[in-house]
Amino acid sequence: MNSSSLPSPQVPYPAYYSAPNNRVSLSGLWDFVFLGDIDTDKFNPADVPYREKALVPSAFDAMPQYAGKRGVAVYRRFISVPENTSARMEFEAVSLWCRVYIDGHPVREHACGYSPFGVDLPFHSKVVRELVVVVDNRFDFDRVPMHEEYFDFYQYGGIIRDVSLRVRPRAGSWVRAVRVTPIDHMTGEVEVEVDLEGEPIHGQKLRMRFDLGESELLPDRPVPGKICLRRRVPAFRIWSPKSPHLHAITITVCANEGEAVSEMTERFGIRTVKVRNGSLELNGSPLRLLGYNRHEWHPNFGPATPTLQMVADLEWLKMLGCNFVRGSHYPQDRRFLDLCDELGFLVWEENLGWGQREKTFQSLQFRKTHAESLVAMLAASHNHPSIIIRGFLNEAGTNESYVRPIFEESVATIRRLDPSRLVSYATMFPLTDTCYDLVDFISLNLYPGWYNCEGAARPLDLVSEYIRETIEKIDAAGWAKKPILISEIGAEGLYGWHDAHDDFFTEEYQAEYLRRACETALDHSRCCGIALWHFSDVRTYGGGWSLKRPRTFNNKGTLDEYRRPKLAYRAVREIFTQVDAVRPV
Ligand code: ADA
């Protein structure tokens, strides 16, 4: 039965944010110093001249004093944990590389600036513990092979996302994670996996509850370990962009007398996404994706954008008529995903990558770091119903065979750990790509009428022509059953730049370009959607790149970096708001 008309059960924690689960946020002002070009192997945490305070989370090089600087920064704060109690710190992103010290001892290194990681706090009789994080934003392929300097977006340094602390109970099992996978939107069936840690206490019981309903006693299982079961969510309602209904699940470990020893609440949504007969389907209905690529970025804050900015961006996207965001080109901030869950946006989340080629793919260190970061992304965002697509390695060298092992491995990891979502990657080699067989649908990054159109009399005419010809050739090559998404397309328009010629870089050229791209893609029966490049203007590198990047910005935003709409805003809005996203394509 489709019970989407039933009343909504209340979600038992503040609406817009994931459940706190006894997390204590460590955000706030930390001691800080920028040491610059030092050797981190000679770094001594006992000997740091903290001179300033810095806000966590933030990017230190988004602040005026350190703008554009590369080097080592050190952050410190004290935390208090009951004596002889173990705790876990969760870092949502530290960029680019970091080493964490507790009470002067190194406990963990991490080498990907956008993927989350945890640190166990060793037992100690001391209550007040010193936490030091050494952060390095210098590019060093051997150490941070996931980040390369030529990526077309500025990679900042710092503790750029939230840090929190979860204290484990002194005795009894601890709920480390709860994952909910929707199985059937017609029956509300979900698969629930619970990860438990620690020694059970005598008579310990495990309870599970959906929303504010009755709790169910779960069968005894050995702990530590994993519990895996299927249930139908009582009085369920389907999650969809039009009605983004969320449910909650609470797992409680109870002592003999029923008192809670540890507990975790997670939000989830019931929705299914599939490819059937060459189309995308959401909850059994045809789906068309209308949206934008979006970097997490603002000129005043770099990648550590305030929640309010995220809300404003989603409001712009709603006004544009979008239902879809491609989170280019890295794992997304939890707050952004929470908002997409609540506001009903569909999301493509991808593992970090930008145009890597053979040298990178040959590195074992890269392969290992990429694989770890992919697993961390899948675990961190598993319960967000907004995510319907998993991707990785934007515009890699997929026209060559050297990418194949890492692509096969990544797709296999996603299908094993996250089988309920679709898998794709964005290619820049539409006609020579070698990995289409691996994915659920084909995603094309196309820039006709922008790049490589020197000498064309009317570059704008190339837009529709190229889209149609490319799809025809892909079909002729045997891929006619795979839906096609235009995962990027766009042209630069400098905010405020108008010229009688309406030529490159004018707002007029950009507006007409996007109009033609959207109309062609959305008229085409093979196209399951379009994600325009890009939502807003974003900072990129200077140096050689700036010859193609006026202001050292990627100026393909429909809004400029301060979210002021360009002419393209109206052009896109006119089209997207007229399209029925659930109309069969
Ligand atoms: C690529 C890439 C984007 C951006 C874009 C552009 O397709 O995936 O990150 O660099 O090109 O503006 O050239």
Side-chain angles (χ1 to χ4, degrees):
M1 181 191 70
N2 177 338
S3 64
S4 60
S5 55
L6 291 173
S8 154
Q10 220 186 317
V11 178
Y13 47 84
Y16 89 85
Y17 216 58
S18 294
N21 293 319
N22 305 326
R23 275 193 190 95
V24 177
S25 167
L26 299 182
S27 58
L29 288 176
W30 292 32
D31 298 325
F32 178 82
V33 63
F34 181 71
L35 298 177
D37 198 17
I38 64 149
D39 181 351
T40 47
D41 288 335
K42 301 202 176 116
F43 170 79
N44 178 1
D47 196 19
V48 183
Y50 295 103
R51 284 187 276 268
E52 297 165 51
K53 298 275 183 189
L55 188 69
V56 170
S58 71
F60 64 82
D61 48 352
M63 297 291 110
Q65 196 181 349
Y66 300 108
K69 293 210 168 28
R70 300 250 160 224
V72 173
V74 190
Y75 293 75
R76 177 182 66 174
R77 69 160 284 162
F78 294 91
I79 50 182
S80 93
V81 175
E83 62 185 64
N84 296 322
T85 309
S86 108
R88 186 171 173 78
M89 278 175 303
E90 289 169 3
F91 290 84
E92 294 188 21
V94 183
S95 184
L96 308 178
W97 174 94
C98 72
R99 185 184 292 137
V100 178
Y101 293 79
I102 306 288
D103 300 325
H105 303 290
V107 289
R108 165 97 207 216
E109 289 185 3
H110 188 71
C112 175
Y114 290 100
S115 70
F117 63 97
V119 176
D120 284 324
L121 204 66
F123 279 92
H124 206 281
S125 55
K126 278 191 351 191
V127 170
V128 177
R129 320 287 294 271
E130 185 195 50
L131 166 63
V132 169
V133 186
V134 177
V135 181
D136 192 345
N137 71 346
R138 290 171 298 185
F139 293 98
D140 173 353
F141 184 71
D142 293 332
R143 202 160 67 162
V144 277
M146 297 275 291
H147 293 264
E148 296 191 53
E149 195 160 2
Y150 60 80
F151 291 2
D152 188 14
F153 53 96
Y154 197 88
Q155 295 159 85
Y156 290 78
I159 303 179
I160 60 169
R161 292 184 186 163
D162 279 342
V163 188
S164 57
L165 181 74
R166 284 185 75 206
V167 177
R168 294 186 171 96
R170 282 256 175 100
S173 308
W174 192 63
V175 190
R176 185 185 171 121
V178 179
R179 275 183 297 278
V180 184
T181 307
I183 303 293
D184 185 350
H185 66 273
M186 297 296 281
T187 61
E189 186 178 9
V190 295
E191 184 171 271
V192 178
E193 287 169 84
V194 183
D195 284 345
L196 291 174
E197 277 182 356
E199 285 297 305
I201 40 176
H202 181 69
Q204 175 181 296
K205 296 270 180 285
L206 208 59
R207 296 194 154 272
M208 178 172 81
R209 190 182 69 192
F210 287 107
D211 303 311
L212 295 178
E214 285 294 299
S215 78
E216 171 192 345
L217 195 61
L218 296 182
D220 285 345
R221 295 288 158 105
V223 271
K226 190 179 274 190
I227 292 171
C228 194
L229 40 87
R230 286 199 178 196
R231 288 291 180 276
R232 286 185 177 191
V233 177
F236 78 94
R237 289 182 68 194
I238 293 173
W239 185 97
S240 73
K242 284 211 170 105
S243 169
H245 184 80
L246 294 167
H247 287 283
I249 184 170
T250 302
I251 303 289
T252 312
V253 177
C254 303
N256 228 347
E257 302 79 39
E259 164 209 346
V261 170
S262 85
E263 188 164 89
M264 179 171 265
T265 298
E266 285 286 298
R267 288 197 321 192
F268 65 95
I270 296 174
R271 52 104 192 90
T272 53
V273 56
K274 285 200 171 57
V275 167
R276 209 158 58 99
N277 301 332
S279 298
L280 298 193
E281 283 187 359
L282 182 74
N283 302 325
S285 302
L287 169 71
R288 208 195 296 246
L289 300 172
L290 307 171
Y292 273 88
N293 287 270
R294 178 180 175 275
H295 273 294
E296 194 60 73
W297 189 80
H298 186 280
N300 294 354
F301 314 108
T305 45
T307 309
L308 186 57
Q309 187 61 56
M310 295 177 178
V311 174
D313 286 0
L314 288 168
E315 276 179 15
W316 278 117
L317 289 164
K318 269 261 143 90
M319 291 190 295
L320 275 156
C322 299
N323 61 5
F324 177 58
V325 181
R326 175 169 175 238
S328 50
H329 295 300
Y330 33 75
Q332 298 294 288
D333 191 307
R334 180 167 54 96
R335 294 169 303 148
F336 184 71
L337 294 174
D338 279 337
L339 293 167
C340 290
D341 290 346
E342 292 219 6
L343 298 172
F345 280 91
L346 301 161
V347 177
W348 160 320
E349 189 184 40
E350 67 188 21
N351 203 17
L352 176 62
W354 196 89
Q356 286 102 328
R357 294 290 179 265
E358 193 161 7
K359 171 184 144 276
T360 307
F361 276 79
Q362 276 168 353
S363 153
L364 289 178
Q365 186 58 13
F366 169 73
R367 189 166 177 169
K368 181 169 167 283
T369 319
H370 180 264
E372 285 168 1
S373 155
L374 181 63
V375 170
M377 174 182 89
L378 298 177
S381 56
H382 186 92
N383 293 335
H384 292 278
S386 53
I387 301 175
I388 56 162
I389 300 161
R390 296 294 195 182
F392 54 91
L393 292 175
N394 171 64
E395 292 193 349
T398 46
N399 56 335
E400 301 278 354
S401 55
Y402 63 79
V403 301
R404 190 78 194 181
I406 292 187
F407 269 57
E408 280 178 358
E409 188 173 287
S410 302
V411 171
T413 301
I414 297 171
R415 298 218 189 274
R416 181 168 49 85
L417 297 177
D418 200 6
S420 77
R421 292 184 167 102
L422 303 178
V423 186
S424 196
Y425 61 85
T427 182
M428 64 179 292
F429 301 107
L431 303 180
T432 48
D433 196 282
T434 59
C435 295
Y436 287 162
D437 59 308
L438 297 175
V439 291
D440 295 309
F441 63 92
I442 294 171
S443 301
L444 306 176
N445 289 359
L446 309 174
Y447 289 87
W450 185 255
Y451 295 125
N452 307 318
C453 61
E454 290 84 353
R458 282 185 302 276
L460 272 174
D461 289 350
L462 299 176
V463 177
S464 309
E465 199 177 296
Y466 186 80
I467 293 175
R468 290 194 196 108
E469 274 176 14
T470 304
I471 297 179
E472 212 172 285
K473 287 183 186 158
I474 289 175
D475 286 1
W479 301 111
K481 292 219 166 80
K482 297 225 179 205
I484 292 180
L485 171 74
I486 300 200
S487 41
E488 288 185 28
I489 192 161
E492 303 224 349
L494 296 171
Y495 179 78
W497 179 242
H498 305 278
D499 178 83
H501 291 233
D502 289 350
D503 212 326
F504 280 13
F505 297 105
T506 60
E507 287 196 32
E508 285 76 5
Y509 187 90
Q510 184 196 32
E512 182 57 17
Y513 183 103
L514 292 184
R515 189 182 66 73
R516 292 186 188 202
C518 293
E519 280 177 356
T520 313
L522 297 173
D523 266 358
H524 203 295
S525 62
R526 291 279 293 112
C527 227
C528 64
I530 186 164
L532 300 172
W533 185 268
H534 179 263
F535 168 66
S536 64
D537 291 349
V538 284
R539 180 178 294 286
T540 185
Y541 288 120
W545 266 105
S546 58
L547 296 175
K548 282 189 183 164
R549 295 284 184 268
R551 315 186 298 140
T552 69
F553 272 63
N554 186 313
N555 296 290
K556 297 190 189 74
T558 286
L559 310 177
D560 81 345
E561 64 273 29
Y562 292 105
R563 281 51 170 178
R564 294 176 297 188
K566 304 179 192 170
L567 282 182
Y569 173 78
R570 279 173 201 281
V572 174
R573 193 180 60 178
E574 261 171 42
I575 299 170
F576 279 3
T577 52
Q578 297 307 310
V579 175
D580 184 354
V582 293
R583 197 186 66 195
V585 285

